[in-house]
Amino acid sequence: MNASQLRARALLIDGRFSRLLSSSHVRKCTFQARRALHNVPHLQQAQSDRFRPYYVTSPIFYVNAEPHAGHLYTLLLTDVLKRWEVLKGDNQASLLTGTDEHGMKVQKAAESAATATKQFCDKHATQFLDLARAANISFDRFIRTTDPDHKVAVEHFWKQLKERGYIYQSTHEGWYSVSDETFYPESQVHLVLEPSTGRKIYASKETGKEVEWTSETNYHFRLSAFRDRLLEHYDQHPQFIVPSMRMNFIKKEVEAGLSDLSVSRPSSRLQWGIRVPDDDTQTIYVWLDALINYLTATGYPYGEGGNHKLWPPNVQVIGKDIVRFHCIYWPAFLMALDIPLPRAFLTHAHWTMGKAKMSKSLGNGVNPFLAIERFGLDAIRYFMIHDGGIVDDADYDNMFIVEKYKKGLQDGLGNLLTRILRGRKWSIRTSLEQVMNNGSLKKPDSARIQDMIEMINSTARSADEAMQSVNPRSALHNIMKLVYETNKFFQEMAPWNLVKDDHPDSRESLHMTIYTSAEAARVACILLQPFMPNKMQQALDHLHVLPDKRSFQMAEVGCDETYGSGASEAAHEKIPENMKKRIRYAHDGVLFPPLLTEV
Ligand code: MSP
């Protein structure tokens, strides 16, 4: 600790600075102090500690078509969830994504493209991998269901189900949808005119996808045996399916009764998949195959002393169209083998275009690569999490992106940073040092400043509460509220007038205004890192926040005395060379420049 830090620490201890904050918010900024002072974060921290390392998964994507913005959304949700845990200190947090490559749908798509199936899969899997990279998704593994270790996992899982008597053979007749890769009961099917061709087809009432009558002998899983256990689990774990309206939907489905599930198809029909162990005439059902990917990535089957510290997942992110597979079939498969169930499913709504679901088959899929190129990655990340639907669908429109970019990023965060950093008559560093040295506040504006300090500190708490309830959208809204409120505060305090007055009261108000606003900006940027990692790295560089002072624990007023341009020599020496370069570069540029569409 250098001399100025020691002095600041002494002020903290003798209480002068702390009076300026609030008696209820004495900050020592050590983790113990936070825990002692804040019951709620303490509990949440303890809870996430218990479930570490954090493991979050995305659905694996069908390779029959190219990625669209809906796929990007699902990926972004997983990424923000993982990065939040890393921000909180879980360096082993893990994110899994990948591709779902087996099944009739992919087999047929490859046939139509007149391409060898594996070659076809390679091409499309690469596109999803490229998307994960282009979107800066912090994945730890990109799994493909054609990976050799996945085959081992699926075969093992199957054998275990068989050994425990959960699989039997029988003749199955029913309506199969290749597009949805599932059987539908008679009651779920109706005759319709296909809009694009005028053909009369049988289609699923739920998804509108064509179904065909199939009669075949295959293997079945005793799903019906799990009705009561599933219902009990839902009741005991109200956070199992988020949001609650989808939990209610699933409960009703299960209460209505479950039929056994067909879990293989004759290999004569479906060649592209993993064969049933000891029965070459059957291929394992693509959904059973696909769901097991979440286990494969943790090293399943673990074997003697195997490492399964990642299992079970903390959160599995899925779209609302695949809730039944994940929240009924998947838990039942796991229960059959006594494998612990995932802790939570975040089920999200869909992106629509003109109110129709964005999808390849409707031809209205937004190309995510072009969107990223056009608006910039972090602008898209911000927009999709800010506006993306969890409960209700959200409509995608370029105009909405421009609007949100202007309001939240240019006029909101960008403007706040510019005002604090580029004001010629003030500097963060000077104000920070003044506040540290002169800690009591008696000015008439102290209540306003006090409110701001309370708000800054409560933002980290409320954002974390939202994240622990698996609601990144609400966390982002909370952080942005702080940004908007700080801009209002800055406007009200009008430091451009305060600088004109030499009276000590005005000086003090000026320093408190700049310091409080800088603290709000620093805390907001720290908390926004999971949402906009690149832009927030730049923003924190602009603020001269040292790399080791960017964690969640630093997101409180008074936690960092070393930032601001012109910080003490000792602090400056700690700045790594590459960060110095970034700072020089960053100062030449604007964080949120006009969009290409605007110039
Ligand atoms: N392969 C299955 C998942 C198997 S997981 C063991 C699958 N693949 S998919 O490619 O069709 O969809 C992948 C994810 O993208 C799903 O969660 C789906 O809900 C999501 N989305 C597809 N279209 C979407 C939108 N229009 N909007 C938001 N998400 C969308 O299902």
Side-chain angles (χ1 to χ4, degrees):
M1 217 183 251
N2 64 30
S4 96
Q5 284 170 317
L6 278 172
R7 203 175 54 233
R9 182 68 68 220
L11 286 170
L12 271 171
I13 291 164
D14 84 12
R16 276 194 284 152
F17 181 62
S18 61
R19 271 203 305 284
L20 178 151
L21 301 178
S22 131
S23 53
S24 63
H25 282 92
V26 180
R27 303 282 161 201
K28 285 187 185 150
C29 294
T30 63
F31 201 52
Q32 280 69 18
R34 276 176 61 86
R35 286 185 169 186
L37 288 165
H38 298 293
N39 244 351
V40 176
H42 166 73
L43 287 176
Q44 282 163 356
Q45 187 66 38
Q47 199 177 34
S48 38
D49 278 349
R50 238 192 5 242
F51 297 149
R52 282 178 174 188
Y54 188 84
Y55 178 36
V56 59
T57 66
S58 88
I60 48 171
F61 303 99
Y62 284 132
V63 287
N64 65 314
E66 277 142 38
H68 59 64
H71 301 130
L72 171 60
Y73 177 54
T74 229
L75 276 173
L76 289 179
L77 286 169
T78 55
D79 188 52
V80 170
L81 287 167
K82 175 189 161 182
R83 284 180 187 269
W84 188 265
E85 294 304 315
V86 174
L87 185 72
K88 289 188 73 186
D90 185 351
N91 293 327
Q92 290 180 47
S94 190
L95 189 166
L96 174 70
T97 188
T99 41
D100 188 354
E101 306 190 6
H102 292 136
M104 195 68 92
K105 182 167 162 140
V106 173
Q107 182 178 301
K108 287 200 170 178
E111 272 164 24
S112 317
T115 312
T117 324
K118 181 65 168 64
Q119 205 183 325
F120 180 84
C121 289
D122 289 347
K123 178 178 160 213
H124 287 285
T126 307
Q127 290 171 336
F128 282 98
L129 178 61
D130 287 347
L131 177 63
R133 288 189 176 135
N136 197 4
I137 304 299
S138 54
F139 59 92
D140 296 272
R141 172 158 178 193
F142 188 94
I143 195 169
R144 298 179 56 181
T145 50
T146 48
D147 287 343
D149 63 339
H150 179 66
K151 184 166 184 267
V152 173
V154 172
E155 286 173 348
H156 184 82
F157 198 96
W158 179 281
K159 283 185 200 156
Q160 294 287 306
L161 288 177
K162 189 93 200 297
E163 239 176 75
R164 293 183 176 217
Y166 287 111
I167 283 182
Y168 64 94
Q169 214 169 13
S170 86
T171 301
H172 189 277
E173 284 195 332
W175 294 101
Y176 194 79
S177 159
V178 173
S179 180
D180 298 335
E181 292 282 20
T182 193
F183 278 103
Y184 285 105
E186 188 75 45
S187 60
Q188 287 304 311
V189 166
H190 61 177
L191 194 61
V192 287
L193 272 187
E194 191 179 46
S196 53
T197 60
R199 271 189 324 138
K200 269 190 175 173
I201 57 162
Y202 282 95
S204 149
K205 286 183 185 167
E206 189 183 330
T207 63
K209 293 286 162 39
E210 184 167 4
V211 292
E212 57 196 35
W213 183 254
T214 359
S215 173
E216 60 194 30
T217 296
N218 50 29
Y219 288 98
H220 284 68
F221 170 71
R222 294 188 197 282
L223 181 65
S224 54
F226 291 89
R227 179 183 175 276
D228 294 349
R229 278 181 70 187
L230 284 169
L231 290 173
E232 199 182 318
H233 189 83
Y234 302 146
D235 281 343
Q236 285 172 359
H237 301 86
Q239 289 268 310
F240 187 60
I241 306 171
V242 177
S244 56
M245 37 92 79
R246 294 213 180 87
M247 169 71 114
N248 297 338
F249 168 78
I250 286 294
K251 266 190 191 170
K252 275 198 194 116
E253 291 253 310
V254 176
E255 272 160 8
L258 296 171
S259 315
D260 287 352
L261 185 69
S262 159
V263 283
S264 71
R265 309 284 321 265
S267 306
S268 54
R269 285 202 169 124
L270 175 66
Q271 295 91 49
W272 187 238
I274 299 171
R275 292 282 182 275
V276 166
D278 306 322
D279 185 355
D280 233 18
T281 67
Q282 294 277 320
T283 303
I284 295 177
Y285 175 42
V286 62
W287 266 103
L288 175 55
D289 168 344
L291 288 162
I292 294 168
N293 91 87
Y294 303 129
L295 276 170
T296 307
T298 68
Y300 179 89
Y302 306 117
E304 276 304 295
N307 174 10
H308 49 86
K309 64 181 176 152
L310 274 184
W311 193 264
N314 296 63
V315 181
Q316 301 211 262
V317 176
I318 52 172
K320 66 178 185 180
D321 52 327
I322 54 175
V323 175
R324 185 180 301 126
F325 302 96
H326 280 83
C327 301
I328 302 179
Y329 303 168
W330 180 222
F333 293 146
L334 293 168
M335 279 173 173
L337 298 193
D338 294 319
I339 298 174
L341 303 196
R343 296 200 168 94
F345 289 94
L346 169 58
T347 71
H348 61 79
H350 285 150
W351 283 96
T352 56
M353 288 282 276
K355 306 289 175 202
K357 182 190 170 193
M358 190 187 288
S359 74
K360 173 73 183 175
S361 52
L362 290 176
N364 63 353
V366 170
N367 180 327
F369 296 99
L370 293 181
I372 290 170
E373 197 178 298
R374 184 169 186 186
F375 298 105
L377 173 60
D378 280 353
I380 290 290
R381 288 177 64 108
Y382 174 81
F383 167 70
M384 292 203 103
I385 300 293
H386 192 278
D387 279 28
I390 298 291
V391 172
D392 299 314
D393 290 350
D395 219 27
Y396 187 100
D397 189 316
N398 288 336
M399 279 321 295
F400 299 155
I401 305 178
V402 174
E403 259 171 42
K404 289 296 143 82
Y405 181 82
K406 282 190 176 161
K407 178 167 184 262
L409 302 182
Q410 276 189 308
D411 300 346
L413 186 59
N415 185 33
L416 175 62
L417 289 164
T418 304
R419 287 169 127 184
I420 306 167
L421 286 163
R422 302 205 172 195
R424 295 234 176 99
K425 306 245 166 69
W426 55 77
S427 95
I428 297 178
R429 194 64 220 159
T430 312
S431 294
L432 190 147
E433 279 168 5
Q434 288 295 321
V435 170
M436 286 289 164
N437 287 328
N438 185 18
S440 62
L441 186 70
K442 302 172 218 75
K443 305 289 110 24
D445 43 43
S446 63
R448 182 71 177 97
I449 289 168
Q450 192 68 62
D451 286 351
M452 271 311 299
I453 289 172
E454 295 284 345
M455 182 175 190
I456 300 170
N457 287 335
S458 67
T459 299
R461 252 184 342 262
S462 61
D464 192 43
E465 267 165 31
M467 292 303 280
Q468 301 312 319
S469 323
V470 215
N471 195 340
R473 174 183 163 125
S474 156
L476 180 55
H477 286 212
N478 284 337
I479 305 166
M480 291 311 292
K481 238 189 256 162
L482 173 64
V483 170
Y484 299 133
E485 191 54 36
T486 312
N487 265 327
K488 241 195 260 163
F489 165 78
F490 201 87
Q491 193 67 30
E492 276 168 39
M493 299 299 284
W496 44 89
N497 290 332
L498 293 171
V499 286
K500 293 182 196 148
D501 186 353
D502 282 340
H503 190 280
D505 283 3
S506 300
R507 286 284 117 185
E508 194 176 322
S509 290
L510 170 72
H511 292 311
M512 275 312 297
T513 300
I514 300 303
Y515 173 72
T516 309
S517 307
E519 281 294 87
R522 182 182 67 80
V523 166
C525 291
I526 285 177
L527 297 175
L528 285 170
Q529 290 175 100
F531 301 87
M532 296 181 281
N534 290 336
K535 287 289 179 188
M536 290 311 100
Q537 183 185 56
Q538 286 175 34
L540 290 163
D541 286 354
H542 283 217
L543 290 166
H544 287 239
V545 176
L546 291 169
D548 62 349
K549 299 212 181 298
R550 298 179 179 192
S551 66
F552 182 77
Q553 283 71 21
M554 290 289 138
E556 282 186 5
V557 174
C559 273
D560 185 359
E561 299 130 26
T562 62
Y563 73 110
S565 166
S568 69
E569 278 307 301
H572 196 74
E573 270 163 25
K574 275 174 69 187
I575 299 181
E577 269 316 304
N578 62 347
M579 180 176 160
K580 282 187 192 158
K581 251 191 234 150
R582 286 202 315 257
I583 291 172
R584 276 197 296 278
Y585 173 76
H587 276 285
D588 297 339
V590 177
L591 198 58
F592 297 108
L595 292 169
L596 280 178
T597 42
E598 297 173 70
V599 288

